[in-house]
Amino acid sequence: MLFRSTFSRVASPTARSEDKVSSDLIGILSDELLGKIFSRLDDVSLACASLVCRRWSDILSKEERESEWHRNTHGRWPLFLSSPRPMPCGEMDVCLRRDFPWRRAYTSLVLSAPCIYCLYQNELKQSGDETIAWTSDVPVYREMPFYRQRLYNEGRTLSQDPPEGIRAQALDSSLQHWQASIAGPPGSPYEGGRFYLSLWFPAAYPCKPPLVRFLTKVFHPNVSRHGDIGIDILQQNWSSALDLSKILVSIQSLFTDPYCYVSAFRA
């Protein structure tokens, strides 16, 4: 947080005299020393640092850092595609395209988020020793809770027969945290865009609705500035008959048919 505060002061056109002195001091640091400082920053702070000046951007855009930007991109946005066709990401040399600007892609995704705090709230929570594979076999869980078994089945169904423009992926082995992506419907003002969402399912699911929030800024009467969604099926009209696929399809339909009786705007 201290580094991001420093970045904003340096980049601000209305910096005070003491901020200008700090900027001069930072300017005399060698590229090697800056590289060591950058190595201690997290991914979001690195993206903020790359926006400060051309020199910092060049340091963070070196070829040896491309794999790091690639890893950060799929860490925060596991559903991000670098091409219209899905590319396997299990092997770095297969997914990492030499001609693809991963730093620029990551920075653009950060800038598209409602706020930095929202990004930190929705970071990847998947454990390193467990992965979610949607197969026809029943997953090996002892005394699996009902909500987890249901979410597993819903995720498998969605992966096998996904609605057009909709994808979803579990982020942890408990299947409570998910990320989804929705393509803007053709003929709507959102056509050509891809919007990311975070979903959190309580242990009482499906008796209680999930908490759904956009991770991408959306100018829409039913979406607040922090990505909260004003739609009745996630509030008073929730039904246990709704599932993951129906929730995402309903949210996608808001792009062409806003629900004007519920507003999500907040001061």
Side-chain angles (χ1 to χ4, degrees):
M1 296 299 291
L2 176 60
F3 280 106
R4 287 196 297 277
S5 177
T6 302
F7 299 155
S8 61
R9 290 201 305 271
V10 173
S12 174
T14 59
R16 297 174 297 179
S17 58
E18 57 266 35
D19 294 330
K20 294 179 180 179
V21 173
S22 300
S23 178
D24 293 338
L25 291 175
I26 292 176
I28 65 175
L29 297 178
S30 65
D31 290 357
E32 182 180 1
L33 183 55
L34 283 173
K36 291 182 179 180
I37 294 174
F38 292 156
S39 66
R40 295 183 176 273
L41 302 183
D42 61 40
D43 52 334
V44 177
S45 296
L46 285 174
C48 295
S50 69
L51 299 174
V52 171
C53 63
R54 176 61 64 86
R55 182 191 174 201
W56 288 18
S57 176
D58 292 342
I59 294 174
L60 293 171
S61 299
K62 292 182 178 179
E63 185 175 350
E64 59 267 21
R65 286 185 172 270
E66 280 301 293
S67 60
E68 182 179 353
W69 287 112
H70 167 265
R71 184 168 52 253
N72 292 340
T73 301
H74 286 298
R76 295 279 179 182
W77 294 272
L79 297 177
F80 174 78
L81 299 177
S82 58
S83 67
R85 293 183 179 181
M87 300 179 66
C89 298
E91 297 294 336
M92 185 68 68
D93 56 349
V94 175
C95 183
L96 181 57
R97 293 168 45 191
R98 294 296 179 183
D99 60 337
F100 190 79
W102 286 106
R103 184 195 64 80
R104 191 186 309 168
Y106 182 90
T107 305
S108 297
L109 288 168
V110 168
L111 294 177
S112 72
C115 65
I116 298 297
Y117 180 68
C118 295
L119 281 181
Y120 280 109
Q121 274 191 320
N122 296 281
E123 63 183 326
L124 183 64
K125 298 179 178 63
Q126 183 174 334
S127 60
D129 58 347
E130 293 186 78
T131 56
I132 307 301
W134 309 118
T135 66
S136 57
D137 300 328
V138 177
V140 181
Y141 286 120
R142 294 182 179 179
E143 300 181 358
M144 176 183 288
F146 174 73
Y147 83 89
R148 192 182 301 178
Q149 181 65 64
R150 170 160 169 160
L151 283 171
Y152 182 89
N153 292 332
E154 291 179 8
R156 183 178 59 188
T157 301
L158 182 61
S159 66
Q160 293 174 350
D161 186 22
E164 184 177 358
I166 291 178
R167 299 174 66 219
Q169 177 176 322
L171 301 183
D172 62 358
S173 57
S174 70
L175 304 185
Q176 287 188 280
H177 297 86
W178 291 68
Q179 186 175 114
S181 66
I182 294 178
S188 71
Y190 307 94
E191 182 178 2
R194 181 161 295 278
F195 305 88
Y196 296 92
L197 302 97
S198 168
L199 300 93
W200 179 80
F201 291 85
Y205 177 81
C207 296
K208 291 186 178 181
L211 176 63
V212 187
R213 176 179 292 175
F214 272 98
L215 295 177
T216 306
K217 295 176 189 174
V218 182
F219 185 72
H220 191 281
N222 297 119
V223 182
S224 75
R225 62 189 179 93
H226 284 291
D228 300 302
I229 304 171
I231 184 172
D232 59 342
I233 65 167
L234 295 177
Q235 299 173 17
Q236 70 276 8
N237 287 339
W238 169 255
S239 170
S240 58
L242 296 170
D243 58 17
L244 177 61
S245 179
K246 293 177 181 177
I247 292 170
L248 296 176
V249 169
S250 297
I251 295 174
Q252 186 184 46
S253 68
L254 288 177
F255 288 151
T256 54
D257 186 20
Y259 187 75
C260 298
Y261 296 99
V262 177
S263 175
F265 277 119
R266 297 178 181 176

